[in-house]
Amino acid sequence: MPTDIQHRSRVALLLALAVLALLTCLVALGAGRFSIPLDQVFLILVNTWTPLQPEQSWTAQMANVVLNVRLPRTLAALLVGSALALSGAVYQGVFRNPLVSPDLLGVTSGACVGASLAILAHLGSAAVQLAALAGGGLAVCCSVGISRLFRQNSNITLVLAGIVVAALFNSILSLCQYLANTYDELPAIIFWTLGSVANMKLADVAAVTPAILAATLVLLVSRWRINLLSLEEGEAQTLGVNVKRLRALTIVCATVLTACAVSICGSIGWVGLIIPHLGRLLTGSDNRWLLPASCLLGGTFLMLVDTLARNLTASEIPLSIITGIVGAGLFVLIVVKRRMQL
Amino acid sequence: MSAPVISTASISFAYRGGQTVFTDVNLTVRAGEVLVLLGPNGSGKTTLLNCLSGLLRPQSGRIELCGHDLRSLSMREIALRLGYLPQIQTVSFEFSVLDYTVMGRAPHLRFGKSPTASDYSLAQQTLDQLGIARLATAPMSRISGGERQLAQIARVLMQEAPLILMDEPTNHLDYGNQIRALRLIQEMCARGIAVIMTSHVPDHAIWLHSQVGVIRPGAPLVFGQAADTLDEQLLSELYQENISLHYLADRGHCICVPELEKLENSSTHDGREKGERKCNEERE
């Protein structure tokens, strides 16, 4: 049966993407100004994480670079990339619009404002993260609140409210930048709004991991049901789906993913828009396959981008600059590819 | 007689702040029966279907679905007993026909469960029955209107509900596909499924030997057997046109014949000349 073959080929595809993600992870840990061979990286990880004790063929400096310098930022890139891509895929499905990205409800603008205010107040990095999370949450609450004022429960009012809130918070962000002193505050704000995983500590990653894993788990478990949200609302209801509850659940989970991602490494554009499209090209629109594929692709993509960010030039390039350049090209390619198929 | 699958007791509905759509509707449909709802555009046929399916709540009256008060059933419990084929068909992403069909299993699957291999083979079987098995992997967006209609019917059949509501199932179909859609409805009835459908063609009710519910603005619903209920006076009043019923002796039922003035040959000739003259004038 052709559907059986399709099923098996999609399982194979997901496995291949998982292997690709692992390989990218090894490359990201090895590549850099202090280059470490992949087999050494692998042995260092095996030595640290498993009871196996391979014969030590690496130096302490190598282990230090892999475990303390590169591992936190690579893990952060993996986590944030997959969170943003998953969140984007879910948003596109729920809002039935392929041009939607996870910052639709203003979560990114809100987080930027929160972080900027914390930077202006010269608070520590943990406080900046908390402020970003709070700002993102506040912006989404504003969007939902404003859409309620329209007294019409539909996706469009939510989109409209999101646009209004994003515009408002972007103005506040501009005000913060205008008021910031140009020596240390302004560069910090700008660096933050362009996103980076530099100077990441394992503790930072660990702080958001539980929330990201929980939201990811809920979305992956309900991924077939998210398909039903792409039907006409009444049609989904006659299939026994509580559309309002399911939509609220998925939007909350997707927003938690984005907010957590943005709070640890600043706003990173394009991943949430472009990766689901790439995924759809590989697996089709069925969220049973699209959501896990987007997760794996997003993580792989951001690990690659981070590797480029720290190797292209002598100083770090903010992630959004690279995701923007790569993303724009990739997007055109995808559009051309999809049109050819029509 | 079997117990009714659905019955209503004097339900009425009005949109918030708007006019009353219908009042005092009483109807009963049993297993294997068809009810065709007839009425002019905007008379509230779809609104009635939406009430029967629980999407809208009537202001007064009571609806019983398989012996349960509709209001006491959850969305999922309703979906296990009633399938609804809406008129507007939009699929925003490119789901394959099979993936779309299998969505009909939703009421049978608890939250967090995905359809199993047996759900997929049931979907494949259903598509096979409807003669569109070859389209299983085709995207919904790239099949014809008639095929999409069949895919929708397949999806509704997957619910395995004893009652199916269809909003204008013959809409947008060519003449052959309309006939095939009616035959499909007959087959569903033969399997014991009750069907309530809306139509703009009174002949559909006559062909299906169904019950009819005639909705006229500002008048109570007329409910009964098509053969007994539909007469020339009712039809003419309903559609504001002179409609006559002609008995087909060899088929044993009537057909509707609208009254159109037969244009005389000479007059069409005149008309053609007039048109040509106008055309020439414009050219000059």
Side-chain angles (χ1 to χ4, degrees):
Chain A
M1 218 158 63
T3 48
D4 239 20
I5 298 167
Q6 207 174 21
H7 184 91
R8 249 176 270 150
S9 72
R10 279 172 178 165
V11 171
L13 178 79
L14 286 189
L15 282 177
L17 288 179
V19 171
L20 184 70
L22 282 177
L23 284 179
T24 311
C25 190
L26 288 184
V27 170
L29 290 174
R33 239 163 300 155
F34 180 73
S35 177
I36 303 166
L38 290 190
D39 55 328
Q40 299 291 322
V41 173
F42 182 70
L43 289 177
I44 291 171
L45 292 182
V46 166
N47 185 48
T48 325
W49 286 343
T50 66
L52 297 175
Q53 297 286 322
E55 199 185 331
Q56 185 157 354
S57 53
W58 59 88
T59 63
Q61 196 193 5
M62 281 179 173
N64 181 41
V65 166
V66 167
L67 294 176
N68 299 328
V69 181
R70 289 181 193 153
L71 189 64
R73 67 184 301 163
T74 305
L75 280 182
L78 174 67
L79 202 64
V80 166
S82 65
L84 288 175
L86 177 61
S87 166
V90 169
Y91 263 91
Q92 290 174 5
V94 172
F95 287 93
R96 288 192 256 151
N97 185 336
L99 294 177
V100 158
S101 67
D103 16 271
L104 184 75
L105 298 182
V107 59
T108 312
S109 323
C112 285
V113 168
S116 305
L117 290 176
I119 290 169
L120 286 183
H122 294 280
L123 300 175
S125 72
V128 172
Q129 280 173 27
L130 268 180
L133 206 57
L138 180 70
V140 174
C141 289
C142 286
S143 294
V144 173
I146 290 174
S147 79
R148 285 277 161 86
L149 291 180
F150 293 136
R151 284 175 186 281
Q152 199 188 359
N153 196 336
S154 78
N155 279 336
I156 276 293
T157 58
L158 209 49
V159 174
L160 268 176
I163 291 172
V164 170
V165 168
L168 173 70
F169 277 83
N170 280 333
S171 301
I172 300 175
L173 177 62
S174 301
L175 183 68
C176 291
Q177 292 175 338
Y178 182 72
L179 293 176
N181 79 50
T182 47
Y183 296 104
D184 56 347
E185 291 165 3
L186 188 60
I189 292 177
I190 289 186
F191 199 68
W192 205 86
T193 58
L194 292 176
S196 170
V197 286
N199 310 322
M200 187 68 60
K201 288 180 221 60
L202 270 183
D204 297 334
V205 183
V208 295
T209 303
I212 288 186
L213 285 186
T216 302
L217 194 71
V218 172
L219 290 174
L220 286 183
V221 161
S222 51
R223 64 195 196 277
W224 181 72
R225 236 151 228 271
I226 297 174
N227 280 354
L228 300 168
L229 288 178
S230 56
L231 296 174
E232 204 64 31
E233 185 170 331
E235 209 175 349
Q237 266 173 21
T238 61
L239 284 174
V241 180
N242 190 330
V243 176
K244 283 190 191 111
R245 203 192 295 163
L246 181 60
R247 197 163 61 193
L249 176 76
T250 47
I251 289 177
V252 165
C253 285
T255 306
V256 164
L257 284 180
T258 307
C260 288
V262 174
S263 75
I264 59 166
C265 62
S267 80
I268 298 171
W270 283 92
V271 179
L273 178 65
I274 194 97
I275 297 300
H277 279 273
L278 196 62
R280 216 165 272 128
L281 205 61
L282 295 175
T283 66
S285 296
D286 188 350
N287 286 308
R288 281 185 312 146
W289 307 103
L290 176 62
L291 297 194
S294 294
C295 266
L296 293 168
L297 279 171
T300 307
F301 179 70
L302 208 59
M303 285 190 290
L304 278 178
V305 166
D306 179 49
T307 309
L308 288 177
R310 57 196 163 81
N311 287 314
L312 281 181
T313 60
S315 64
E316 293 255 349
I317 304 173
L319 295 179
S320 275
I321 294 178
I322 299 179
T323 57
I325 294 169
V326 177
L330 211 56
F331 200 64
V332 170
L333 264 178
I334 290 171
V335 170
V336 169
K337 179 97 203 299
R338 286 186 79 87
R339 247 232 324 249
M340 274 177 178
Q341 280 183 345
L342 282 177
Chain B
M1 249 198 200
S2 59
V5 176
I6 194 167
S7 65
T8 69
S10 58
I11 54 166
S12 30
F13 182 83
Y15 282 105
R16 219 186 305 167
Q19 256 190 322
T20 307
V21 184
F22 51 76
T23 54
D24 206 22
V25 168
N26 293 289
L27 45 85
T28 303
V29 182
R30 293 167 203 282
E33 283 182 350
V34 191
L35 166 64
V36 179
L37 295 173
L38 295 171
N41 286 121
S43 58
K45 297 186 295 295
T46 305
T47 309
L48 179 54
L49 285 189
N50 285 341
C51 285
L52 295 179
S53 65
L55 287 179
L56 294 176
R57 183 165 286 188
Q59 270 81 16
S60 62
R62 181 183 158 92
I63 302 174
E64 270 197 15
L65 178 62
C66 303
H68 303 273
D69 186 343
L70 193 65
R71 278 170 300 186
S72 70
L73 298 176
S74 71
M75 283 291 185
R76 185 172 160 268
E77 288 167 330
I78 293 174
L80 285 170
R81 296 170 173 85
L82 174 154
Y84 187 8
L85 203 99
Q87 202 182 126
I88 308 151
Q89 335 166 332
T90 43
V91 184
S92 39
F93 286 117
E94 298 195 333
F95 285 105
S96 74
V97 171
L98 188 73
D99 284 336
Y100 177 77
T101 305
V102 96
M103 287 182 189
R105 293 307 285 173
H108 295 270
L109 297 165
R110 288 260 167 216
F111 185 85
K113 292 269 182 297
S114 291
T116 59
S118 70
D119 290 321
Y120 278 91
S121 63
L122 182 64
Q124 192 76 45
Q125 273 171 30
T126 310
L127 292 177
D128 201 30
Q129 277 167 21
L130 298 180
I132 48 169
R134 74 205 141 77
L135 296 175
T137 52
M140 280 296 285
S141 55
R142 285 181 222 174
I143 60 178
S144 75
E147 291 164 344
R148 202 174 298 178
Q149 178 85 9
L150 287 173
Q152 269 195 310
I153 291 175
R155 199 210 72 205
V156 168
L157 286 175
M158 291 290 285
Q159 284 175 253
E160 296 182 318
L163 171 67
I164 292 180
L165 309 184
M166 299 175 138
D167 200 0
E168 291 188 36
T170 53
N171 206 8
H172 303 302
L173 297 185
D174 71 38
Y175 195 56
N177 277 330
Q178 287 187 23
I179 296 167
R180 282 184 279 278
L182 293 178
R183 189 172 296 134
L184 202 61
I185 290 165
Q186 281 181 324
E187 283 166 18
M188 294 198 287
C189 292
R191 283 159 60 182
I193 298 172
V195 175
I196 301 178
M197 61 177 271
T198 63
S199 175
H200 283 303
V201 185
D203 283 322
H204 288 166
I206 299 172
W207 293 338
L208 291 170
H209 299 287
S210 74
Q211 309 198 69
V212 284
V214 180
I215 307 177
R216 291 169 298 173
L221 178 112
V222 182
F223 174 69
Q225 275 295 324
D228 311 331
T229 312
L230 296 179
D231 57 34
E232 294 181 347
Q233 197 197 341
L234 180 67
L235 288 173
S236 304
E237 197 187 314
L238 186 63
Y239 295 109
Q240 302 287 306
E241 282 290 339
N242 280 330
I243 297 164
S244 49
L245 282 169
H246 289 243
Y247 185 69
L248 300 177
D250 54 334
R251 306 300 302 269
H253 64 71
C254 293
I255 56 163
C256 295
V257 180
E259 193 174 285
L260 285 173
E261 279 165 46
K262 195 179 177 199
L263 296 174
E264 297 293 327
N265 272 345
S266 57
S267 72
T268 46
H269 190 69
D270 277 356
R272 203 179 300 150
E273 268 191 352
K274 227 183 256 171
E276 278 171 9
R277 215 179 304 142
K278 203 172 175 196
C279 197
N280 288 335
E281 275 167 19
E282 270 173 23
R283 221 172 274 158
E284 280 159 14

